[in-house]
Amino acid sequence: MNVLNFINAFFSDSAHWKGYDGIPTRLWEHILYSLVALGIAAGIGLPVGLLTGHTGRGGNALSLIATAARALPSFGLLVLMFVVLGLGLLPVMIPLVVLAVPPILVTTYEAVRSVDPSPVDAARGMGMHESRILLQVELPVALPLILSGLRSAAIQIVSTATIAAYVSLGGLGRYIVDGLYQRDYEKVVGGATLVAVLALATLGLFWAVGRLAVSPGVRRSN
Amino acid sequence: MVSSGDFCQTRRVCGVLIRIDSVTKRYPDGTVAVDRLSLDIPDRSITVLVGPSGCGKTTTLRMINRMVEPSEGTILLDGRDIMRQPVNTLRRSMGYVIQNAGLFQHRTIIDNIATVPRLLGWGKEKARERARELMGRVGLDASLAKRYPYQLSGGQQQRVGVARALAADPPVLLMDEPFSAVDPVVRKGLQDELLRIQEELGKTIVFVTHDIDEAVKLGTMVAVMRTGGRLAQFAPPAELLSEPADEFVEDFLGADRGIRRLSFFPSAGLELVTAPVVATDSTAEQIAARDTPDAPYLLVTSPDGKPLGWSEPRNLTAGEIDPAQLLSYGRPFVAGTDSLRAALDCAVLSPTGWAVAVDADGRVAGVVSQQTIAEAIRGAHKESTSEAKALR
Ligand SMILES: Nc1ncnc2c1ncn2[C@@H]1O[C@H](COP(=O)(O)OP(=O)(O)O)[C@@H](O)[C@H]1O
Ligand SMILES: [Mg+2]
C-alpha cells in the first residue's frame, strides 16, 4: 500500500467519474469557486494597487493592511463567517478573497513603483493624460510582476478552496473532507492529487498568459 | 544704433518666442532652485542653458512645459501666458527630450516615435508613415523600425528620443542633457545632427547641458547660470568667450577660451600666398623662381594640385622629386569654410610653421604663415570689439 496505489485506485474507479460527486463535477465546482474568488480579489487589488503605485501615496498603509490580512488564518475566518452568516457561498468567498488580495495588492503596487521613472517623465512631458500614462506606459512594463502576484494569489486560492467542503459546499475539498470522515484514504489522496494538478495547471495558464500579454520588448529587457 | 534688421542678421535670430520674466522656483522643502530669472529665448535658434550641477537648469526647462510650476513670475510663449493654456495642449506643442531618452520599452521604435501623433488623434498608418520619415531625418536606418529599445545602442536610442519629440512637428524643442550619457564620438555625431536638423527645420530649441564646450558649439545664445539659480550671463557664444561678464563665467569657460574663441572667426579673410608652391612636374626654372628669401620652404604638390609635403628649395631637383623625402605638411584647413582656429592649429602642427589651405576638393589653394594668421587674429579681435560696442 502506497500513495501511488491510492491514486491509481481512485482514478481507475469508473464510479468516480460520474454523477454529482464525480470528478468532472467537483473539478468544475472547484474551478468556479476559485475563479469567483480570484475575480473579486483582482477587482479590489488591481485598481487599488495600480492607483497607489502610480501616485506613490498610501504605500505604508497598504503594506500594513496586507500584513494584517496575511496573519488571519483562512480556516478560522471560515468558521467565524459560518457562525455569523450561516451556510452558503459568502462565508467561503470572504476568507478566499482576504487570502488573495494582499499578494495582488502588494505586488501590483511594487510593480508600478518600480517602473523606470524616465519614460513616465517623457510621457508626461509630451502631454499624455495621467490615466493613459498608467495604462499605456506603466502597466505594460509592470505586467510581468503583476501577473506573478496574480499567479501566487491564484495558487493559494486553488489550494485553500478545499475549505468550502466544511460548510457543505462542493469542490475538490469534498473528497478530502468526506474521505477523512469515512476513513477512505483512497479518496483523500485522490482529492489532494486533483488539487495539486489544478495548481500546476494554473501555473501553466499564467505562463501562457505571460507569453501572450507581455511585450517582447519588456520580456527581454528585464 | 543698429536697426532690428541688422540685429537679425548678426545674431541669426529674429523674434522672441519664449519670455521668462523674473521667475522664481521655491521647492516645498525651501530650496530656491531658480531665483528671479529673466530670459528672452529667441525664435528659430538654439538657446543653451549651461552651468554647474544643481544650478537650476532642469528646473528652468521644466517650468517651460509646466512639469514644474513657477512660484513667482510669468512665462510667455509667443506672447501668451503658459499658465492660461491647457497643460497637455501646451506640452504637445513642445517636443521633450531627456537624458536617457526615456523610450517605452514595450513599444517598437516606430511606435515610440508615433506616440505624440497618436495622442493628437492621427490614424495608426499616418502616424507610422510620419515616424518612418523622421527615422530618416535623424539618421536611423529603416530596418530598425520593428526593433525594441533594448536592441539599440545608447546613441541610437537618443536619436529615437529626438525623432519622437519632433514627430508632431512642434515649434519648440526642450532638451535636458540629451547627449550626456553617450561616449564623446557618438556625442559629436549627435551634436552635428542636431545642428543640421535645426538648420533644416528652424525649431526653437532650449538645450540644457553642464558642458561648456557643447554649449559653445550648439548655442546661438548661451545662458550661463550659477548655483542658486541666478543668471550669470546671456550672450552669443563668441561674446561669452571674448567678454565674460565676471570671474565666475570666466572660470566656467576654462583656461583656453582665447583659442576657442577663434572658432568664431572665419578664415575667409586670410591672405593666402601661392608663391612657395611647386608641383612635382615643375621645371628647374620654376623652382628657382619660387626660391625667395620670404619662404625658406616650398610646398610640393602632385600635378593635379594635391599637397605632398614641404622641402627646402636646394633639396629639390626638377624631374627627380621624391615624395617620400618631403617633410609632412600636417593637416590642411579648408580655405573660407574653416575657422581661424583651424588655420592656426594647422600652422602650429606644421613642421615649417606654415599652414596649408585647400579648396573643397582638397587641392592646394595656397599657404599661409603663422605671422599672417596672428595678424588676422588681431584684426578679427578689433573688428568684433567695435561690433559689440555698436550693438550696445
Ligand atoms: N523636486 C525637488 N524638490 C526639492 N529640491 C529640488 C527638487 N528638484 C530639484 N531640487 C533642487 O533644486 C536645485 C536645482 O536643481 P536642478 O534644476 O535639477 O539643477 P540642474 O539641472 O542644474 O542640475 C538643486 O539644488 C536640487 O537639489
Ligand atoms: Mg539637470
Side-chain angles (χ1 to χ4, degrees), chain A residues 123-144:
Chain A
R124 198 167 283 137
M126 63 180 82
M128 223 184 251
H129 289 292
E130 291 301 311
S131 58
R132 220 165 168 155
I133 293 176
L134 175 56
L135 296 178
Q136 294 186 2
V137 177
E138 292 174 308
L139 181 60
V141 177
L143 197 56

PDB file of all heavy atoms in Angstrom, chain A residues 123-144:
ATOM      1  N   ALA A 123       6.639  60.702 -21.017  1.00  0.00           N
ATOM      2  CA  ALA A 123       5.229  60.638 -21.413  1.00  0.00           C
ATOM      3  C   ALA A 123       4.467  61.855 -20.898  1.00  0.00           C
ATOM      4  O   ALA A 123       3.694  62.484 -21.627  1.00  0.00           O
ATOM      5  CB  ALA A 123       4.593  59.355 -20.886  1.00  0.00           C
ATOM      6  N   ARG A 124       4.713  62.201 -19.642  1.00  0.00           N
ATOM      7  CA  ARG A 124       4.048  63.366 -19.065  1.00  0.00           C
ATOM      8  C   ARG A 124       4.477  64.622 -19.818  1.00  0.00           C
ATOM      9  O   ARG A 124       3.650  65.471 -20.145  1.00  0.00           O
ATOM     10  CB  ARG A 124       4.418  63.460 -17.577  1.00  0.00           C
ATOM     11  CG  ARG A 124       3.500  64.335 -16.761  1.00  0.00           C
ATOM     12  CD  ARG A 124       3.729  64.142 -15.274  1.00  0.00           C
ATOM     13  NE  ARG A 124       3.135  62.910 -14.777  1.00  0.00           N
ATOM     14  CZ  ARG A 124       3.720  62.078 -13.932  1.00  0.00           C
ATOM     15  NH1 ARG A 124       4.929  62.337 -13.479  1.00  0.00           N
ATOM     16  NH2 ARG A 124       3.110  60.987 -13.531  1.00  0.00           N
ATOM     17  N   GLY A 125       5.765  64.706 -20.125  1.00  0.00           N
ATOM     18  CA  GLY A 125       6.286  65.880 -20.826  1.00  0.00           C
ATOM     19  C   GLY A 125       5.744  66.029 -22.233  1.00  0.00           C
ATOM     20  O   GLY A 125       5.737  67.117 -22.783  1.00  0.00           O
ATOM     21  N   MET A 126       5.310  64.923 -22.834  1.00  0.00           N
ATOM     22  CA  MET A 126       4.754  65.061 -24.188  1.00  0.00           C
ATOM     23  C   MET A 126       3.240  65.230 -24.141  1.00  0.00           C
ATOM     24  O   MET A 126       2.591  65.211 -25.180  1.00  0.00           O
ATOM     25  CB  MET A 126       5.198  63.914 -25.092  1.00  0.00           C
ATOM     26  CG  MET A 126       4.755  62.551 -24.691  1.00  0.00           C
ATOM     27  SD  MET A 126       5.350  61.299 -25.860  1.00  0.00           S
ATOM     28  CE  MET A 126       6.998  61.040 -25.285  1.00  0.00           C
ATOM     29  N   GLY A 127       2.676  65.387 -22.946  1.00  0.00           N
ATOM     30  CA  GLY A 127       1.261  65.737 -22.843  1.00  0.00           C
ATOM     31  C   GLY A 127       0.322  64.550 -22.792  1.00  0.00           C
ATOM     32  O   GLY A 127      -0.801  64.625 -23.268  1.00  0.00           O
ATOM     33  N   MET A 128       0.766  63.449 -22.193  1.00  0.00           N
ATOM     34  CA  MET A 128      -0.112  62.297 -22.035  1.00  0.00           C
ATOM     35  C   MET A 128      -0.921  62.469 -20.748  1.00  0.00           C
ATOM     36  O   MET A 128      -0.384  62.913 -19.734  1.00  0.00           O
ATOM     37  CB  MET A 128       0.741  61.033 -21.937  1.00  0.00           C
ATOM     38  CG  MET A 128       0.207  59.877 -22.737  1.00  0.00           C
ATOM     39  SD  MET A 128       1.183  58.396 -22.473  1.00  0.00           S
ATOM     40  CE  MET A 128       2.018  58.227 -24.026  1.00  0.00           C
ATOM     41  N   HIS A 129      -2.210  62.110 -20.774  1.00  0.00           N
ATOM     42  CA  HIS A 129      -3.027  62.180 -19.566  1.00  0.00           C
ATOM     43  C   HIS A 129      -2.551  61.135 -18.568  1.00  0.00           C
ATOM     44  O   HIS A 129      -2.050  60.083 -18.954  1.00  0.00           O
ATOM     45  CB  HIS A 129      -4.495  61.927 -19.892  1.00  0.00           C
ATOM     46  CG  HIS A 129      -5.127  63.048 -20.647  1.00  0.00           C
ATOM     47  ND1 HIS A 129      -5.351  64.284 -20.091  1.00  0.00           N
ATOM     48  CD2 HIS A 129      -5.555  63.132 -21.928  1.00  0.00           C
ATOM     49  CE1 HIS A 129      -5.900  65.072 -20.995  1.00  0.00           C
ATOM     50  NE2 HIS A 129      -6.037  64.403 -22.124  1.00  0.00           N
ATOM     51  N   GLU A 130      -2.772  61.419 -17.271  1.00  0.00           N
ATOM     52  CA  GLU A 130      -2.301  60.512 -16.228  1.00  0.00           C
ATOM     53  C   GLU A 130      -2.854  59.095 -16.388  1.00  0.00           C
ATOM     54  O   GLU A 130      -2.143  58.112 -16.221  1.00  0.00           O
ATOM     55  CB  GLU A 130      -2.664  61.045 -14.837  1.00  0.00           C
ATOM     56  CG  GLU A 130      -1.900  62.298 -14.429  1.00  0.00           C
ATOM     57  CD  GLU A 130      -0.388  62.106 -14.412  1.00  0.00           C
ATOM     58  OE1 GLU A 130       0.096  61.128 -13.836  1.00  0.00           O
ATOM     59  OE2 GLU A 130       0.316  62.959 -15.011  1.00  0.00           O
ATOM     60  N   SER A 131      -4.149  58.991 -16.748  1.00  0.00           N
ATOM     61  CA  SER A 131      -4.738  57.654 -16.873  1.00  0.00           C
ATOM     62  C   SER A 131      -4.047  56.880 -17.992  1.00  0.00           C
ATOM     63  O   SER A 131      -3.792  55.684 -17.893  1.00  0.00           O
ATOM     64  CB  SER A 131      -6.235  57.766 -17.147  1.00  0.00           C
ATOM     65  OG  SER A 131      -6.441  58.519 -18.322  1.00  0.00           O
ATOM     66  N   ARG A 132      -3.709  57.605 -19.052  1.00  0.00           N
ATOM     67  CA  ARG A 132      -3.043  56.971 -20.172  1.00  0.00           C
ATOM     68  C   ARG A 132      -1.614  56.578 -19.808  1.00  0.00           C
ATOM     69  O   ARG A 132      -1.109  55.548 -20.253  1.00  0.00           O
ATOM     70  CB  ARG A 132      -3.020  57.949 -21.344  1.00  0.00           C
ATOM     71  CG  ARG A 132      -3.273  57.259 -22.637  1.00  0.00           C
ATOM     72  CD  ARG A 132      -3.607  58.247 -23.699  1.00  0.00           C
ATOM     73  NE  ARG A 132      -3.564  57.567 -24.975  1.00  0.00           N
ATOM     74  CZ  ARG A 132      -4.241  57.977 -26.022  1.00  0.00           C
ATOM     75  NH1 ARG A 132      -5.007  59.035 -25.942  1.00  0.00           N
ATOM     76  NH2 ARG A 132      -4.137  57.326 -27.155  1.00  0.00           N
ATOM     77  N   ILE A 133      -0.964  57.418 -19.012  1.00  0.00           N
ATOM     78  CA  ILE A 133       0.393  57.090 -18.557  1.00  0.00           C
ATOM     79  C   ILE A 133       0.355  55.786 -17.768  1.00  0.00           C
ATOM     80  O   ILE A 133       1.155  54.884 -17.990  1.00  0.00           O
ATOM     81  CB  ILE A 133       0.972  58.230 -17.688  1.00  0.00           C
ATOM     82  CG1 ILE A 133       1.194  59.473 -18.538  1.00  0.00           C
ATOM     83  CG2 ILE A 133       2.267  57.797 -17.015  1.00  0.00           C
ATOM     84  CD1 ILE A 133       1.679  60.679 -17.759  1.00  0.00           C
ATOM     85  N   LEU A 134      -0.642  55.683 -16.872  1.00  0.00           N
ATOM     86  CA  LEU A 134      -0.754  54.476 -16.053  1.00  0.00           C
ATOM     87  C   LEU A 134      -1.017  53.242 -16.921  1.00  0.00           C
ATOM     88  O   LEU A 134      -0.351  52.218 -16.793  1.00  0.00           O
ATOM     89  CB  LEU A 134      -1.863  54.659 -15.013  1.00  0.00           C
ATOM     90  CG  LEU A 134      -2.193  53.447 -14.141  1.00  0.00           C
ATOM     91  CD1 LEU A 134      -0.959  52.942 -13.414  1.00  0.00           C
ATOM     92  CD2 LEU A 134      -3.279  53.774 -13.134  1.00  0.00           C
ATOM     93  N   LEU A 135      -1.989  53.350 -17.829  1.00  0.00           N
ATOM     94  CA  LEU A 135      -2.411  52.164 -18.574  1.00  0.00           C
ATOM     95  C   LEU A 135      -1.498  51.841 -19.755  1.00  0.00           C
ATOM     96  O   LEU A 135      -1.348  50.686 -20.122  1.00  0.00           O
ATOM     97  CB  LEU A 135      -3.854  52.337 -19.054  1.00  0.00           C
ATOM     98  CG  LEU A 135      -4.883  52.439 -17.919  1.00  0.00           C
ATOM     99  CD1 LEU A 135      -6.277  52.657 -18.466  1.00  0.00           C
ATOM    100  CD2 LEU A 135      -4.842  51.182 -17.053  1.00  0.00           C
ATOM    101  N   GLN A 136      -0.896  52.871 -20.375  1.00  0.00           N
ATOM    102  CA  GLN A 136      -0.134  52.604 -21.598  1.00  0.00           C
ATOM    103  C   GLN A 136       1.373  52.680 -21.425  1.00  0.00           C
ATOM    104  O   GLN A 136       2.118  52.260 -22.316  1.00  0.00           O
ATOM    105  CB  GLN A 136      -0.570  53.571 -22.703  1.00  0.00           C
ATOM    106  CG  GLN A 136      -2.001  53.327 -23.114  1.00  0.00           C
ATOM    107  CD  GLN A 136      -2.412  54.165 -24.304  1.00  0.00           C
ATOM    108  OE1 GLN A 136      -1.622  54.914 -24.859  1.00  0.00           O
ATOM    109  NE2 GLN A 136      -3.660  54.042 -24.699  1.00  0.00           N
ATOM    110  N   VAL A 137       1.831  53.267 -20.321  1.00  0.00           N
ATOM    111  CA  VAL A 137       3.276  53.347 -20.113  1.00  0.00           C
ATOM    112  C   VAL A 137       3.697  52.467 -18.939  1.00  0.00           C
ATOM    113  O   VAL A 137       4.608  51.653 -19.054  1.00  0.00           O
ATOM    114  CB  VAL A 137       3.727  54.810 -19.878  1.00  0.00           C
ATOM    115  CG1 VAL A 137       5.223  54.874 -19.600  1.00  0.00           C
ATOM    116  CG2 VAL A 137       3.372  55.665 -21.081  1.00  0.00           C
ATOM    117  N   GLU A 138       3.009  52.606 -17.803  1.00  0.00           N
ATOM    118  CA  GLU A 138       3.434  51.865 -16.611  1.00  0.00           C
ATOM    119  C   GLU A 138       2.951  50.415 -16.619  1.00  0.00           C
ATOM    120  O   GLU A 138       3.737  49.485 -16.398  1.00  0.00           O
ATOM    121  CB  GLU A 138       2.936  52.583 -15.346  1.00  0.00           C
ATOM    122  CG  GLU A 138       3.634  53.920 -15.139  1.00  0.00           C
ATOM    123  CD  GLU A 138       3.057  54.718 -13.992  1.00  0.00           C
ATOM    124  OE1 GLU A 138       1.828  54.920 -13.960  1.00  0.00           O
ATOM    125  OE2 GLU A 138       3.825  55.164 -13.138  1.00  0.00           O
ATOM    126  N   LEU A 139       1.659  50.223 -16.909  1.00  0.00           N
ATOM    127  CA  LEU A 139       1.093  48.871 -16.842  1.00  0.00           C
ATOM    128  C   LEU A 139       1.826  47.858 -17.735  1.00  0.00           C
ATOM    129  O   LEU A 139       2.166  46.767 -17.266  1.00  0.00           O
ATOM    130  CB  LEU A 139      -0.411  48.920 -17.168  1.00  0.00           C
ATOM    131  CG  LEU A 139      -1.151  47.584 -17.120  1.00  0.00           C
ATOM    132  CD1 LEU A 139      -1.061  46.953 -15.741  1.00  0.00           C
ATOM    133  CD2 LEU A 139      -2.619  47.754 -17.520  1.00  0.00           C
ATOM    134  N   PRO A 140       2.086  48.184 -19.021  1.00  0.00           N
ATOM    135  CA  PRO A 140       2.747  47.173 -19.854  1.00  0.00           C
ATOM    136  C   PRO A 140       4.105  46.752 -19.324  1.00  0.00           C
ATOM    137  O   PRO A 140       4.516  45.606 -19.498  1.00  0.00           O
ATOM    138  CB  PRO A 140       2.898  47.877 -21.213  1.00  0.00           C
ATOM    139  CG  PRO A 140       1.894  48.968 -21.201  1.00  0.00           C
ATOM    140  CD  PRO A 140       1.776  49.410 -19.779  1.00  0.00           C
ATOM    141  N   VAL A 141       4.812  47.682 -18.660  1.00  0.00           N
ATOM    142  CA  VAL A 141       6.136  47.362 -18.143  1.00  0.00           C
ATOM    143  C   VAL A 141       6.027  46.618 -16.810  1.00  0.00           C
ATOM    144  O   VAL A 141       6.836  45.745 -16.497  1.00  0.00           O
ATOM    145  CB  VAL A 141       6.966  48.662 -17.987  1.00  0.00           C
ATOM    146  CG1 VAL A 141       8.320  48.371 -17.394  1.00  0.00           C
ATOM    147  CG2 VAL A 141       7.123  49.340 -19.342  1.00  0.00           C
ATOM    148  N   ALA A 142       4.985  46.964 -16.030  1.00  0.00           N
ATOM    149  CA  ALA A 142       4.800  46.332 -14.716  1.00  0.00           C
ATOM    150  C   ALA A 142       4.136  44.960 -14.831  1.00  0.00           C
ATOM    151  O   ALA A 142       4.115  44.193 -13.871  1.00  0.00           O
ATOM    152  CB  ALA A 142       3.952  47.245 -13.833  1.00  0.00           C
ATOM    153  N   LEU A 143       3.598  44.665 -16.026  1.00  0.00           N
ATOM    154  CA  LEU A 143       2.770  43.466 -16.199  1.00  0.00           C
ATOM    155  C   LEU A 143       3.393  42.152 -15.715  1.00  0.00           C
ATOM    156  O   LEU A 143       2.714  41.373 -15.033  1.00  0.00           O
ATOM    157  CB  LEU A 143       2.331  43.357 -17.666  1.00  0.00           C
ATOM    158  CG  LEU A 143       1.158  42.428 -17.933  1.00  0.00           C
ATOM    159  CD1 LEU A 143      -0.051  42.819 -17.103  1.00  0.00           C
ATOM    160  CD2 LEU A 143       0.798  42.430 -19.419  1.00  0.00           C
ATOM    161  N   PRO A 144       4.669  41.858 -16.030  1.00  0.00           N
ATOM    162  CA  PRO A 144       5.205  40.570 -15.573  1.00  0.00           C
ATOM    163  C   PRO A 144       5.109  40.404 -14.050  1.00  0.00           C
ATOM    164  O   PRO A 144       4.722  39.340 -13.570  1.00  0.00           O
ATOM    165  CB  PRO A 144       6.666  40.613 -16.026  1.00  0.00           C
ATOM    166  CG  PRO A 144       6.690  41.591 -17.146  1.00  0.00           C
ATOM    167  CD  PRO A 144       5.625  42.601 -16.851  1.00  0.00           C
TER     168      PRO A 144
END
